[in-house]
Amino acid sequence: MSSPLFLGFDLSTQQLKAIVISSDTHIVHESSVHFDNHLPHHGTDNGAIHGEDGEAAAPVAMWIEAIDVLLAQMKSAGVDFTRIHAVSGSAQQHGSVYWSSDAPELLKNIPSDKTLEEHLCPGAFSLQDAPIWQDSSTTEECRALEAEVGGPQNLADLTGSRAYERFTGPQISKIYHKDREIYDATHRISLVSSFLASLFLQTYAPVEVSDASGMNLMNILTSKWDDHLLNACGGPSLKEKLGPDPVLGGTNLGSIGGWWMRKWGFPTDCIIAPFTGDNPGTVVALSTPGDALLSLGTSTTYLLAAPPSATPPKRMTTSHLLSHPTTEGASIIMLCYKNGALARSQIMERYAAGSWDKFNELVEQTPPGNNSRLGLYFPLIEIIPPNVQGQYLFSTTNHSVEPVESFPDEAHPRAILESQFLSIKSRVLEILPHDAPPLERLILTGGAAGNPTIRQLVADIFNLKVYVARTKEAGSLGGALLAKYVWWKPQQTEGKNSYTDMRHQDGDSVSEVATPNSHVAAQYEELVEAYRKAEEWVVARSTKNTL
Ligand code: XUL
């Protein structure tokens, strides 16, 4: 009855989810609160309020009310909070929460007869709507930040990413330069992840390293705030407003606050561990360093947990490098593409009579390399490579590529899959240091992960065994695992207490679904160069078009 349980949250764009796991990592409870549906009075559209110039924000009061509602829901479903030994979670990356100078006192003294929302809102915040990752209003601040360090590549070398509108540094910079009154009234700035941890601690929580990597403010090699960048984004007071340098996941931040014990019955020794971002949370849920994760959803996201190595992965202006949440010195390489499922289903509609079975048949009828045809498809303006749009067809001969007008209809399904995956492969080869240990597994998630033809093609192109995840709730599971880790770690002997050791004891959360054919994989190695040339042609052509 009293065996320990661990609670993990995921505060994503559209909902707040919670997962409770047992010490042998079985999911024993899941709950969620959907912002638009359950809390419509906050007036959000898919969890956000959009402004006219690309602004996107979420009411902090909505997130806090969601916690009150979720806890009540869990209690009535019979979750026994007295058995929760640790709490952690993950949250949408990059968003920022602005606490007022009354926040420390308000956080500390929450009366048991009040909800979090009644007590904290609006007084604990200097800005009621938190800017979120969908915000694209800070182009000016991005260019200024890059110029400050000598250009986008220098900023990528320093922080792991060039400046992006959604990143927290440019967001803070906008408030500092354009809303000084709000900035000056701000006592502490949290990420969405550290804001959640602060509520549970009832005092400010530090930012976690992996999520801090999405700010353009942390030195990616030392995991410390970079004073020059802090100064550029928020003047001399930003260092104090951000609090101590970021901490590693699995750090014991202290016990849960008194309100949580009195109101919900959490035990006095329930530990709070740092909350992380949703992408790093997914990485810790489904992979260990040496694994790659490929999410084939609306967008395509590739996440690679790179083990510690003497030479750090190369930092590029089209990918992100994040510190790994639990393994010191390890990192996560992240690539985000806009043209994922939409582009594939357009091809399926147009050339495979609207049927995925037909699409698969056409792929299987054509040989790897597509009879020397390469097609790149960008119905939406792409992120990687930046700002390209349209359809580009090529014939490939011995490492050279020639643009062509058209393909036979049946060549398109294989062409889109090959080019989407070769784009990732070419970049991973470029980013990974030469002395990096070989990758071990590729874990597929997202809608297309169920397609057997796609699974096999992915195995062949990346030359890796392909696995699929057994859960859809990777973000909150990652949070629950980080909670379990902070409890488990001190009970182990030194040298056998890493997060990876814990996950090995847990057994796998993925199942193998495809094995590469080494002969075919070798053919794809050869095609990477042709793909690069085709992409160069497309980029040169789009640059010309926009001049
Ligand atoms: C990653 C990003 C999104 C959010 C969504 O850089 O902006 O994936 O984390 O929750």
Side-chain angles (χ1 to χ4, degrees), residues 293-342:
L293 268 165
L294 180 58
S295 165
L296 298 175
T298 313
S299 61
T300 296
T301 309
Y302 179 87
L303 292 159
L304 172 61
S309 90
T311 336
K314 207 160 140 198
R315 279 134 293 164
M316 317 284 285
T317 52
T318 49
S319 60
H320 306 296
L321 188 68
L322 317 179
S323 293
H324 192 276
T326 56
T327 309
E328 213 167 343
S331 47
I332 296 173
I333 296 161
M334 181 161 92
L335 298 170
C336 277
Y337 293 81
K338 251 195 229 168
N339 291 291
L342 175 75

Side-chain angles (χ1 to χ4, degrees), residues 48 60 110 172 228 256 284 351 364 391 436 451 479 506 512 519 536:
V60 182
I110 312 176
I172 294 173
H228 183 185
I256 198 163
V284 295
Y351 302 109
E364 278 161 26
Q391 171 177 300
N451 181 321
D506 275 347
E512 190 183 320
H519 175 67
E536 264 167 36

Side-chain angles (χ1 to χ4, degrees), residues 256-398:
I256 198 163
W259 179 83
W260 298 89
M261 301 175 198
R262 290 189 301 276
K263 176 128 183 154
W264 299 106
F266 283 87
T268 47
D269 54 357
C270 174
I271 311 167
I272 305 304
F275 286 46
T276 187
D278 51 3
N279 291 304
T282 300
V283 168
V284 295
L286 302 180
S287 68
T288 48
D291 292 340
L293 268 165
L294 180 58
S295 165
L296 298 175
T298 313
S299 61
T300 296
T301 309
Y302 179 87
L303 292 159
L304 172 61
S309 90
T311 336
K314 207 160 140 198
R315 279 134 293 164
M316 317 284 285
T317 52
T318 49
S319 60
H320 306 296
L321 188 68
L322 317 179
S323 293
H324 192 276
T326 56
T327 309
E328 213 167 343
S331 47
I332 296 173
I333 296 161
M334 181 161 92
L335 298 170
C336 277
Y337 293 81
K338 251 195 229 168
N339 291 291
L342 175 75
R344 289 190 297 273
S345 60
Q346 279 185 0
I347 296 289
M348 181 272 292
E349 293 291 345
R350 206 170 296 154
Y351 302 109
S355 149
W356 283 112
D357 288 339
K358 177 80 186 156
F359 178 95
N360 288 353
E361 231 172 78
L362 293 175
V363 174
E364 278 161 26
Q365 274 167 20
T366 31
N370 210 8
N371 296 318
S372 305
R373 292 190 181 95
L374 203 49
L376 282 66
Y377 307 80
F378 308 107
L380 299 171
I381 299 178
E382 188 49 272
I383 307 173
I384 308 175
N387 301 323
V388 299
Q389 191 168 28
Q391 171 177 300
Y392 301 88
L393 309 177
F394 300 89
S395 80
T396 58
T397 36
N398 255 349

